[in-house]
Amino acid sequence: MSYCKQEGKDRIIFVTKEDHDTPSNAELVAEDPDDPYEEQGLILPNGDINWNCPCLGGMASGPCGSQFKEAFSCFHYSKEEVKGSECIDQFRNMQECMQRYPELYPQEEEKEDPTSVVSDSATTADATTPDSAVASESDSASSVSRPETDSTLPKDG
């Protein structure tokens, strides 16, 4: 015979081999949208924001949680032609708060474009000879903007 044991919010059910031999007569219960343990997405079925959604990465809590909630709510419920255009002040408040806690909200540094690093170092290397820098720029520009002459092309005359 099976029996149950309650441990906190969990209910542990022990079953016997005989319990598994008979088909289940369990009835499925409709999902309760108010169940705090039920996995929900970012937007609840009633249209509200699920502040407990793991997809928010904890942004709704912490020292800037209220500013985040104000900004995100403003954007979510925005009816403007450009969605969220009326929320600039709320996002600015949130950003200012996050800047006060850099250890909790690290700022992503802008990644440099690899081509800009090369061109910067090339300009620095050529700085000792300004004429060669100008010549190399004009040479590379001409090779990009004009097609190479091809001996297979028909020639006038």
PDB file of all heavy atoms in Angstrom, residues 51 59-73 90 93-94 97 105:
ATOM      1  N   TRP A  51       7.356  39.551 -12.685  1.00  0.00           N
ATOM      2  CA  TRP A  51       8.616  40.055 -12.145  1.00  0.00           C
ATOM      3  C   TRP A  51       9.506  38.936 -11.613  1.00  0.00           C
ATOM      4  O   TRP A  51      10.685  39.147 -11.374  1.00  0.00           O
ATOM      5  CB  TRP A  51       8.360  41.099 -11.061  1.00  0.00           C
ATOM      6  CG  TRP A  51       7.654  42.302 -11.583  1.00  0.00           C
ATOM      7  CD1 TRP A  51       6.412  42.745 -11.236  1.00  0.00           C
ATOM      8  CD2 TRP A  51       8.143  43.231 -12.562  1.00  0.00           C
ATOM      9  NE1 TRP A  51       6.103  43.882 -11.939  1.00  0.00           N
ATOM     10  CE2 TRP A  51       7.150  44.202 -12.768  1.00  0.00           C
ATOM     11  CE3 TRP A  51       9.314  43.331 -13.306  1.00  0.00           C
ATOM     12  CZ2 TRP A  51       7.294  45.255 -13.658  1.00  0.00           C
ATOM     13  CZ3 TRP A  51       9.460  44.381 -14.201  1.00  0.00           C
ATOM     14  CH2 TRP A  51       8.455  45.327 -14.376  1.00  0.00           C
ATOM     15  N   MET A  59      16.938  41.435 -12.419  1.00  0.00           N
ATOM     16  CA  MET A  59      16.932  42.893 -12.561  1.00  0.00           C
ATOM     17  C   MET A  59      15.804  43.545 -11.755  1.00  0.00           C
ATOM     18  O   MET A  59      15.926  44.700 -11.366  1.00  0.00           O
ATOM     19  CB  MET A  59      16.791  43.285 -14.034  1.00  0.00           C
ATOM     20  CG  MET A  59      18.000  42.926 -14.871  1.00  0.00           C
ATOM     21  SD  MET A  59      19.463  43.852 -14.405  1.00  0.00           S
ATOM     22  CE  MET A  59      18.973  45.506 -14.845  1.00  0.00           C
ATOM     23  N   ALA A  60      14.733  42.831 -11.508  1.00  0.00           N
ATOM     24  CA  ALA A  60      13.599  43.407 -10.794  1.00  0.00           C
ATOM     25  C   ALA A  60      13.835  43.488  -9.291  1.00  0.00           C
ATOM     26  O   ALA A  60      13.041  44.080  -8.572  1.00  0.00           O
ATOM     27  CB  ALA A  60      12.332  42.593 -11.081  1.00  0.00           C
ATOM     28  N   SER A  61      14.921  42.904  -8.808  1.00  0.00           N
ATOM     29  CA  SER A  61      15.258  43.011  -7.398  1.00  0.00           C
ATOM     30  C   SER A  61      16.591  43.724  -7.274  1.00  0.00           C
ATOM     31  O   SER A  61      17.220  44.057  -8.266  1.00  0.00           O
ATOM     32  CB  SER A  61      15.326  41.610  -6.769  1.00  0.00           C
ATOM     33  OG  SER A  61      16.298  40.841  -7.428  1.00  0.00           O
ATOM     34  N   GLY A  62      17.029  43.969  -6.077  1.00  0.00           N
ATOM     35  CA  GLY A  62      18.293  44.665  -5.885  1.00  0.00           C
ATOM     36  C   GLY A  62      18.094  46.155  -5.726  1.00  0.00           C
ATOM     37  O   GLY A  62      16.959  46.646  -5.694  1.00  0.00           O
ATOM     38  N   PRO A  63      19.189  46.897  -5.636  1.00  0.00           N
ATOM     39  CA  PRO A  63      19.087  48.325  -5.336  1.00  0.00           C
ATOM     40  C   PRO A  63      18.414  49.145  -6.437  1.00  0.00           C
ATOM     41  O   PRO A  63      17.888  50.214  -6.158  1.00  0.00           O
ATOM     42  CB  PRO A  63      20.542  48.765  -5.145  1.00  0.00           C
ATOM     43  CG  PRO A  63      21.360  47.736  -5.834  1.00  0.00           C
ATOM     44  CD  PRO A  63      20.577  46.460  -5.752  1.00  0.00           C
ATOM     45  N   CYS A  64      18.396  48.659  -7.673  1.00  0.00           N
ATOM     46  CA  CYS A  64      17.773  49.408  -8.768  1.00  0.00           C
ATOM     47  C   CYS A  64      16.519  48.707  -9.289  1.00  0.00           C
ATOM     48  O   CYS A  64      16.035  49.014 -10.387  1.00  0.00           O
ATOM     49  CB  CYS A  64      18.774  49.619  -9.898  1.00  0.00           C
ATOM     50  SG  CYS A  64      20.230  50.555  -9.390  1.00  0.00           S
ATOM     51  N   GLY A  65      15.997  47.776  -8.514  1.00  0.00           N
ATOM     52  CA  GLY A  65      14.815  47.020  -8.929  1.00  0.00           C
ATOM     53  C   GLY A  65      13.602  47.888  -9.199  1.00  0.00           C
ATOM     54  O   GLY A  65      12.889  47.689 -10.184  1.00  0.00           O
ATOM     55  N   SER A  66      13.357  48.877  -8.339  1.00  0.00           N
ATOM     56  CA  SER A  66      12.168  49.714  -8.539  1.00  0.00           C
ATOM     57  C   SER A  66      12.309  50.567  -9.796  1.00  0.00           C
ATOM     58  O   SER A  66      11.344  50.741 -10.544  1.00  0.00           O
ATOM     59  CB  SER A  66      11.901  50.590  -7.315  1.00  0.00           C
ATOM     60  OG  SER A  66      12.991  51.463  -7.089  1.00  0.00           O
ATOM     61  N   GLN A  67      13.534  51.065 -10.077  1.00  0.00           N
ATOM     62  CA  GLN A  67      13.751  51.856 -11.286  1.00  0.00           C
ATOM     63  C   GLN A  67      13.590  50.975 -12.530  1.00  0.00           C
ATOM     64  O   GLN A  67      13.027  51.404 -13.537  1.00  0.00           O
ATOM     65  CB  GLN A  67      15.145  52.503 -11.289  1.00  0.00           C
ATOM     66  CG  GLN A  67      15.298  53.605 -10.294  1.00  0.00           C
ATOM     67  CD  GLN A  67      15.728  53.122  -8.911  1.00  0.00           C
ATOM     68  OE1 GLN A  67      15.622  51.947  -8.573  1.00  0.00           O
ATOM     69  NE2 GLN A  67      16.201  54.046  -8.090  1.00  0.00           N
ATOM     70  N   PHE A  68      14.078  49.732 -12.445  1.00  0.00           N
ATOM     71  CA  PHE A  68      13.926  48.807 -13.554  1.00  0.00           C
ATOM     72  C   PHE A  68      12.452  48.527 -13.806  1.00  0.00           C
ATOM     73  O   PHE A  68      11.988  48.548 -14.956  1.00  0.00           O
ATOM     74  CB  PHE A  68      14.670  47.497 -13.280  1.00  0.00           C
ATOM     75  CG  PHE A  68      14.411  46.442 -14.320  1.00  0.00           C
ATOM     76  CD1 PHE A  68      15.073  46.478 -15.532  1.00  0.00           C
ATOM     77  CD2 PHE A  68      13.497  45.432 -14.087  1.00  0.00           C
ATOM     78  CE1 PHE A  68      14.829  45.514 -16.503  1.00  0.00           C
ATOM     79  CE2 PHE A  68      13.247  44.464 -15.042  1.00  0.00           C
ATOM     80  CZ  PHE A  68      13.914  44.501 -16.260  1.00  0.00           C
ATOM     81  N   LYS A  69      11.701  48.286 -12.742  1.00  0.00           N
ATOM     82  CA  LYS A  69      10.278  47.985 -12.889  1.00  0.00           C
ATOM     83  C   LYS A  69       9.519  49.162 -13.503  1.00  0.00           C
ATOM     84  O   LYS A  69       8.657  48.969 -14.354  1.00  0.00           O
ATOM     85  CB  LYS A  69       9.663  47.617 -11.534  1.00  0.00           C
ATOM     86  CG  LYS A  69      10.063  46.252 -11.040  1.00  0.00           C
ATOM     87  CD  LYS A  69       9.429  45.969  -9.691  1.00  0.00           C
ATOM     88  CE  LYS A  69       9.768  44.595  -9.179  1.00  0.00           C
ATOM     89  NZ  LYS A  69       9.141  44.308  -7.878  1.00  0.00           N
ATOM     90  N   GLU A  70       9.853  50.382 -13.067  1.00  0.00           N
ATOM     91  CA  GLU A  70       9.189  51.566 -13.625  1.00  0.00           C
ATOM     92  C   GLU A  70       9.476  51.690 -15.120  1.00  0.00           C
ATOM     93  O   GLU A  70       8.566  51.913 -15.919  1.00  0.00           O
ATOM     94  CB  GLU A  70       9.647  52.828 -12.906  1.00  0.00           C
ATOM     95  CG  GLU A  70       9.093  52.982 -11.510  1.00  0.00           C
ATOM     96  CD  GLU A  70       9.660  54.201 -10.799  1.00  0.00           C
ATOM     97  OE1 GLU A  70      10.111  55.145 -11.474  1.00  0.00           O
ATOM     98  OE2 GLU A  70       9.640  54.202  -9.556  1.00  0.00           O
ATOM     99  N   ALA A  71      10.737  51.530 -15.505  1.00  0.00           N
ATOM    100  CA  ALA A  71      11.122  51.679 -16.909  1.00  0.00           C
ATOM    101  C   ALA A  71      10.527  50.559 -17.761  1.00  0.00           C
ATOM    102  O   ALA A  71       9.969  50.814 -18.834  1.00  0.00           O
ATOM    103  CB  ALA A  71      12.645  51.692 -17.038  1.00  0.00           C
ATOM    104  N   PHE A  72      10.624  49.335 -17.279  1.00  0.00           N
ATOM    105  CA  PHE A  72      10.124  48.203 -18.055  1.00  0.00           C
ATOM    106  C   PHE A  72       8.603  48.256 -18.172  1.00  0.00           C
ATOM    107  O   PHE A  72       8.047  47.977 -19.233  1.00  0.00           O
ATOM    108  CB  PHE A  72      10.577  46.882 -17.433  1.00  0.00           C
ATOM    109  CG  PHE A  72      10.374  45.705 -18.338  1.00  0.00           C
ATOM    110  CD1 PHE A  72      11.297  45.412 -19.328  1.00  0.00           C
ATOM    111  CD2 PHE A  72       9.255  44.902 -18.204  1.00  0.00           C
ATOM    112  CE1 PHE A  72      11.102  44.335 -20.169  1.00  0.00           C
ATOM    113  CE2 PHE A  72       9.058  43.821 -19.043  1.00  0.00           C
ATOM    114  CZ  PHE A  72       9.980  43.532 -20.031  1.00  0.00           C
ATOM    115  N   SER A  73       7.928  48.619 -17.089  1.00  0.00           N
ATOM    116  CA  SER A  73       6.467  48.745 -17.122  1.00  0.00           C
ATOM    117  C   SER A  73       6.050  49.816 -18.115  1.00  0.00           C
ATOM    118  O   SER A  73       5.111  49.622 -18.896  1.00  0.00           O
ATOM    119  CB  SER A  73       5.914  49.095 -15.744  1.00  0.00           C
ATOM    120  OG  SER A  73       6.128  48.058 -14.842  1.00  0.00           O
ATOM    121  N   GLN A  90      12.367  57.421 -17.260  1.00  0.00           N
ATOM    122  CA  GLN A  90      12.443  56.222 -16.418  1.00  0.00           C
ATOM    123  C   GLN A  90      13.706  55.412 -16.728  1.00  0.00           C
ATOM    124  O   GLN A  90      14.383  54.920 -15.824  1.00  0.00           O
ATOM    125  CB  GLN A  90      11.200  55.334 -16.619  1.00  0.00           C
ATOM    126  CG  GLN A  90       9.943  55.921 -16.033  1.00  0.00           C
ATOM    127  CD  GLN A  90       9.180  56.797 -17.026  1.00  0.00           C
ATOM    128  OE1 GLN A  90       9.741  57.358 -17.962  1.00  0.00           O
ATOM    129  NE2 GLN A  90       7.890  56.942 -16.809  1.00  0.00           N
ATOM    130  N   ASN A  93      16.684  57.242 -15.251  1.00  0.00           N
ATOM    131  CA  ASN A  93      16.767  57.013 -13.801  1.00  0.00           C
ATOM    132  C   ASN A  93      17.362  55.638 -13.498  1.00  0.00           C
ATOM    133  O   ASN A  93      18.194  55.494 -12.599  1.00  0.00           O
ATOM    134  CB  ASN A  93      15.387  57.128 -13.155  1.00  0.00           C
ATOM    135  CG  ASN A  93      14.878  58.539 -13.148  1.00  0.00           C
ATOM    136  OD1 ASN A  93      15.632  59.496 -13.290  1.00  0.00           O
ATOM    137  ND2 ASN A  93      13.563  58.689 -13.012  1.00  0.00           N
ATOM    138  N   MET A  94      16.942  54.637 -14.266  1.00  0.00           N
ATOM    139  CA  MET A  94      17.454  53.284 -14.066  1.00  0.00           C
ATOM    140  C   MET A  94      18.957  53.243 -14.373  1.00  0.00           C
ATOM    141  O   MET A  94      19.738  52.678 -13.604  1.00  0.00           O
ATOM    142  CB  MET A  94      16.718  52.295 -14.979  1.00  0.00           C
ATOM    143  CG  MET A  94      17.198  50.867 -14.853  1.00  0.00           C
ATOM    144  SD  MET A  94      16.413  49.743 -16.024  1.00  0.00           S
ATOM    145  CE  MET A  94      17.269  50.166 -17.527  1.00  0.00           C
ATOM    146  N   CYS A  97      20.965  54.902 -11.632  1.00  0.00           N
ATOM    147  CA  CYS A  97      21.034  54.025 -10.456  1.00  0.00           C
ATOM    148  C   CYS A  97      22.072  52.935 -10.684  1.00  0.00           C
ATOM    149  O   CYS A  97      22.902  52.668  -9.814  1.00  0.00           O
ATOM    150  CB  CYS A  97      19.667  53.410 -10.175  1.00  0.00           C
ATOM    151  SG  CYS A  97      19.673  52.286  -8.762  1.00  0.00           S
ATOM    152  N   TYR A 105      26.096  45.925 -11.445  1.00  0.00           N
ATOM    153  CA  TYR A 105      25.649  46.144 -12.820  1.00  0.00           C
ATOM    154  C   TYR A 105      26.855  46.580 -13.659  1.00  0.00           C
ATOM    155  O   TYR A 105      27.012  47.755 -13.965  1.00  0.00           O
ATOM    156  CB  TYR A 105      24.573  47.227 -12.884  1.00  0.00           C
ATOM    157  CG  TYR A 105      23.405  46.977 -11.968  1.00  0.00           C
ATOM    158  CD1 TYR A 105      23.282  47.660 -10.752  1.00  0.00           C
ATOM    159  CD2 TYR A 105      22.412  46.075 -12.299  1.00  0.00           C
ATOM    160  CE1 TYR A 105      22.205  47.447  -9.914  1.00  0.00           C
ATOM    161  CE2 TYR A 105      21.328  45.852 -11.462  1.00  0.00           C
ATOM    162  CZ  TYR A 105      21.240  46.536 -10.271  1.00  0.00           C
ATOM    163  OH  TYR A 105      20.166  46.329  -9.441  1.00  0.00           O
TER     164      TYR A 105
END
